Amino acid sequence: MTRGRARYDGDGTGTVSARRDTGDRDSPRAAPARVPLPDASGPRDGTTRLVAHGCWYPSADPAGTRVAFICDRGGVPQLWTGPADGDEVRLLDSGPDPVREVSWSPDGRWIAYTTAPGGGEHQRVLCVRPDGSGRRILAGAEPGTSAYLGCWAHDGSAVAVTVAVPTVPAPPARDTAGLPDGAGGPTGRLPAVGWSGREGEAVLLGTTTITDVEPGPATRSARSGTEPSGRTPATTAFGDGLSAYLIDPDGQAAPVLLATEKDAATLRVCDLSRDGRLALVRRGPRGRREAVVVRTADLTTTYVVAVADGDPWIGRFSARADTVWLRSDAGREFAALIAAGLDERGGPRGWSVAAEREGADLELLQFAQDGHTAVLTWNMLGASDVEIVDTHPSGTEGAVVGPPHPVPLPHEVVTRAVPLGPAGLTLALSGSQRRPGVWLLTEGVSLLRTPWSSKDEDAVPPGRPPVRPVPLRPTARDGLSLNGWYYRAPGRGPAEPAPCVIHLHGGPEEQERPVFNPLYHEILGRGIDIFAPDVRGSSGHGRSFVDADLGAGRFAALDDIADCAGHAVLAGPADPSRLAVMGRSYGGYLTFASLVRHPGLFRTGVAVCGMSDFATFFEGTEPWIAQSAAYKYGHPEHDRELLRALSPMSRIDALRVPLLAVHGEHDTNVPPRESEQFVRAARERGLVAELLTLRDEGHDFLRAENRRLFRRTAADWLQRHLNG
C-alpha cells in the first residue's frame, strides 16, 4: 500500500455590510481572514478515470443554467461545474483535499465550498469564481481551527461561516414566552465539571468565568446608511467554542460576528432575513438540536424551537420575516413542517403544524427562489417521497400551505433538493440500482438525469447487476419492532442457507437506506448475504425509537443485534454456523461489542472506525463530538461505571473469533487508538487480529484507491472466515 501525500492549501432587499469583531486586547483569536490561493481549476472535459462515478450535493447559479456539484470521477470528491442541459463539465479545484459541501452565491459571482485537508475531520471554507479564478480560503486556515459553511446573504454580499475558535461571550437573553412544547427549555449543556483526559488529546468541560460582556456588533443597512448602536463583546480564552461570522468573499468589508457558543456540538447559520435583521441558527448536540432566531443588531436570542436531527438546513424565513418555516419534532414523535410566527422584533407570535405525515419524518426542507414554494421530502421507512407545496397561496393570509403536488422519483432516496433558477428544482438521487446522481425538474413535469451524472447501467461492471434488497421486520426480545434490508447473494436458491454478514450503520442515529453500496456489491459477489438492520437508536422510526438506546438502553441495542441475526436465519435464510458482524463508526463499536457480548454467535467480525473503550474515546475525540456523545452514551464522570460496562475492552477476555479492524489515520472523531488497543489486546490473548490503517483518510473513506482497498480487504477477510 502506498502512502498518499495531501496538500494543505491554505433578490434581497437588504445589503449586509460588515465590521471586524475586534474583541478586547487579550482576545485569543481574531475573526477569520481571507487567504488567497493559486488557480487550481482543471481543463474542461477533464480525463474521466471512473466510469461509475457519483455526483451529489448540487447548487445551481441564479439563472438555473449551470450547476456546481461534488463528483468523484477523479478518484476523490472534488468541486465541478456543468451546464444544466449539457455534458461539458469543468473541474474548479484540482487539489487532493475532499470536498464536503457546495453553495453558489445568490448573485452568481462566487461558489463557496468546504474541504477536508488530508481527508481528516477538520474543514476549511473556500470560495472560487465560477470560471475557476479568485480561489481563496475564507476560514479554517489557522492551525487547529475548523470551519463550516452556512447560508449566503440574500444579495450575495456575504456568506455565513462557523469557525471552531476559543472565544466565548455570555449567552444572550432568551425570550421564551409562547414557545411550543419542547422549546425554550434548558440548553441541555452538561454540568461544568472537571473532565480531563488521562492521556488523551482533549480536555473537556472545564470551568470558566465570563465577565464584562456587552451586546455584540450590529449589521448595517447600506440603503439607509444607519447603524444601530452596539458594542463588541469582551471574550475570554477558554476551551473550544464555535463562532459564526458573515464574511465578504471580496474582502471589501470585515467579518461580522453573528453568534457564539461555548462547548457547542454544532452551530450553523441556516438563513438570514432579507432585510438582514434576523438570523436563523441551528445549534446543539444530536438529539437536542435547536433552531434559534437571533436579532443581528444586538445578538439577542428571540426565539428557540426544538428541531429534528439529520439534515442541518432546518428552515427559512418568509419574505417579510413574519414567519419562520422549520423542520421540527418539537413535542412530536415525527418531524413535521411547522410555521412559527414572529413579531417585528423576531419574538414568538404563535406556531402551527403546516404539513405532517403519520409515521414519517420530514427529512429535507427547501424553498424555491420565490421564497414561498417549499419542497418537502418525507422519509417513508428509508425511501423518499417528495412533494411541492405553496406556503402562501394566492388570496390567503398568514402561514397557509396549499395542496401538495407529488414528484415521481426514478430512484428510492433523495439526499438533497435545491432550486434550479426561478422555476426549476435540482435533486440529488441515489438508489439500490445506481450511483449518486443529479436530476433536474423543470416546469414540474418529470425528472431528467443530468448528462454528467453516470448512467444507471454504469453503476457496476457488466455481468452482475446490483442486488435489490427486500425489507425485513424483526421483533426484538422485548417486543420492539425493528427494521432492515436483506440482500441475497446471486446464484443461490431461495431456500438455500448462505453465509451472512449483519452490517450495522453508524450514528447511532443514521438509518439503513436502500441505496447502492459498492461494499455490499463486493461482499455479495463472494456469495455472502447481507442483512442491514436498524437497531434501536436509529433514525427514521420516530423519536421514541431514537431515544430507546440512551444510557442503559444500549444493552438492549446490543441484544437487538443477536435478535436480528436470529431473524436473518429464519427469514433470510442465513446459515447460523456462518454469521459475521460488521459496521462502521457506531456500527464499528457495535461490532466490537457484539463479538464480546455474544461470543458464540459470530464466526468473525470487521470493525471500521469503531469505539472500543468509552474512557479513551472521550479523552481523544473532538470536544464538540464529546458533547453529543455524552448525551447519547453517558457522562464520562457521572456514568463511569455504565460506560465501563458498555465498553468492549472491559470484556475482551470473552473474545473468541478472528477480527479485522479498519481505521483512517487522520480520524479525530473516533481516534485510531480505539482500533489499535482492541487489536493489540486480541493478539495478546492469542487470537487472530489485523488492523488496516488507511492513509490520508479520516472518519469517512473518500479516496477511490483507499475505498477499493478497504472493500477488497474486508470481502477477502469475510470470504476466508465464512466460506473457508
Side-chain angles (χ1 to χ4, degrees), residues 591-592 595 604-609 655 657-663 672 674-684 686-694 709-710 712-718 720-721:
T591 298
F592 284 140
L595 293 177
T604 188
V606 180
V608 185
C609 299
L655 185 65
V657 297
L659 166 80
L660 171 66
V662 185
H663 227 108
E674 295 301 304
S675 289
E676 294 166 359
Q677 63 192 7
F678 198 89
V679 168
R680 185 182 303 112
R683 288 176 174 175
E684 290 172 352
L687 298 171
V688 175
E690 295 184 13
L691 172 62
L692 171 65
T693 298
L694 296 178
L709 174 62
F710 161 58
R712 291 176 178 174
T713 302
D716 287 346
W717 180 274
L718 293 169
R720 181 162 67 251
H721 291 284

Side-chain angles (χ1 to χ4, degrees), residues 3-22:
R3 180 188 177 105
R5 185 176 298 277
R7 188 180 69 201
Y8 292 78
D9 291 331
D11 91 285
T13 59
T15 300
V16 177
S17 180
R19 300 182 308 170
R20 181 173 295 277
D21 169 28
T22 57

Side-chain angles (χ1 to χ4, degrees), residues 613-635:
D613 190 309
F614 280 111
T616 55
F617 164 71
F618 276 110
E619 291 170 8
T621 189
E622 302 281 4
W624 55 89
I625 294 175
Q627 289 284 55
S628 289
Y631 169 73
K632 291 298 297 185
Y633 309 132
H635 192 286

Side-chain angles (χ1 to χ4, degrees), residues 445-457:
V445 180
S446 61
L447 283 166
L448 299 176
R449 181 183 57 84
T450 54
W452 29 266
S453 294
S454 63
K455 301 176 182 178
D456 292 355
E457 56 267 28

Side-chain angles (χ1 to χ4, degrees), residues 54 103 107 167 292 347 496 514:
S103 182
D107 59 7
T167 304
V292 182
E496 182 182 356

Side-chain angles (χ1 to χ4, degrees), residues 334 357-364 377-386 409 411-416 428-432 469-473 482-485 487 505 509-516 532-534 538-542 545:
F334 291 91
R357 286 206 184 177
E358 184 177 357
D361 274 314
L362 178 60
E363 186 172 38
L364 301 174
T377 302
W378 302 92
N379 184 331
M380 310 296 292
L381 292 177
S384 298
D385 195 1
V386 177
L409 298 177
H411 294 284
E412 292 98 324
V413 177
V414 177
T415 59
R416 184 166 168 81
L429 295 181
S430 193
S432 61
V470 296
L472 289 187
R473 302 287 181 260
L482 307 176
N483 301 270
W485 299 89
Y487 296 77
H505 64 68
E509 306 90 342
E510 294 177 14
Q511 181 186 11
E512 189 67 31
R513 311 298 292 267
V515 298
F516 175 74
D534 289 333
S538 306
S539 62
H541 309 289
F545 194 87

